[in-house]
Amino acid sequence: MTSEPRLSPRLIVPDPDRASAFYQAALGAEQVFSAPRGDDGRPSVIGLRAGGASFRVSPAVPSWGWRSPDDLGGPAVLLEIEVDDPDAAGERMVAHGAEVVVPIEDRPYGKRSGRVRDPFGHLWIITGEPR
């Protein structure tokens, strides 16, 4: 049996429930599943879908090598999301606790983009068509 590979990034965060709520409010993501809660009361994984993209959030578990950006001193990956209205998406993220790192504006390479850091330390490039 052959199938196309699917990549589902898993973001390591201190609090998966809070992260899921943020991504739902800020990106319009839909929570599609949540694993049973462990002894610490946190789910081991929450699955989310935003448009055609799927991603997951899991708690930091240093003994497994799962470390959040705060544990690492910054993120190891940039997440890029392409949307119809980058300004509105950036404003929603900031309204829910993200901070602007690079303002969203028209870029010389033909895109309108900028960068925000979400409340969990992950960096997002928000991009779309120029104005």
Side-chain angles (χ1 to χ4, degrees):
M1 179 168 109
T2 61
S3 66
E4 298 273 331
R6 287 186 285 269
L7 178 65
S8 295
R10 187 176 296 206
L11 306 179
I12 305 303
V13 298
D15 183 340
D17 290 313
R18 192 170 139 239
S20 177
F22 170 81
Y23 296 125
Q24 288 176 66
L27 297 177
E30 171 190 7
Q31 183 171 311
V32 294
F33 73 90
S34 180
R37 296 182 180 275
D39 294 338
D40 63 2
R42 300 181 302 177
S44 62
V45 62
I46 295 175
L48 298 153
R49 184 175 26 245
S54 294
F55 64 102
R56 298 168 182 197
V57 294
S58 286
V61 183
S63 63
W64 295 354
W66 293 10
R67 301 182 190 284
S68 73
D70 287 344
D71 297 332
L72 297 172
V77 173
L78 284 171
L79 300 156
E80 186 167 343
I81 185 168
E82 189 163 346
V83 295
D84 289 335
D85 187 344
D87 295 276
E91 289 167 8
R92 274 193 315 277
M93 289 185 81
V94 169
H96 290 283
E99 72 174 285
V100 174
V101 175
V102 176
I104 296 171
E105 55 190 40
D106 289 344
R107 303 292 172 184
Y109 47 83
K111 290 288 188 178
R112 184 166 185 80
S113 67
R115 197 167 37 224
V116 300
R117 179 178 295 110
D118 72 25
F120 315 100
H122 293 284
L123 287 174
W124 292 79
I125 298 170
I126 303 172
T127 189
E129 294 303 313
R131 285 189 172 171

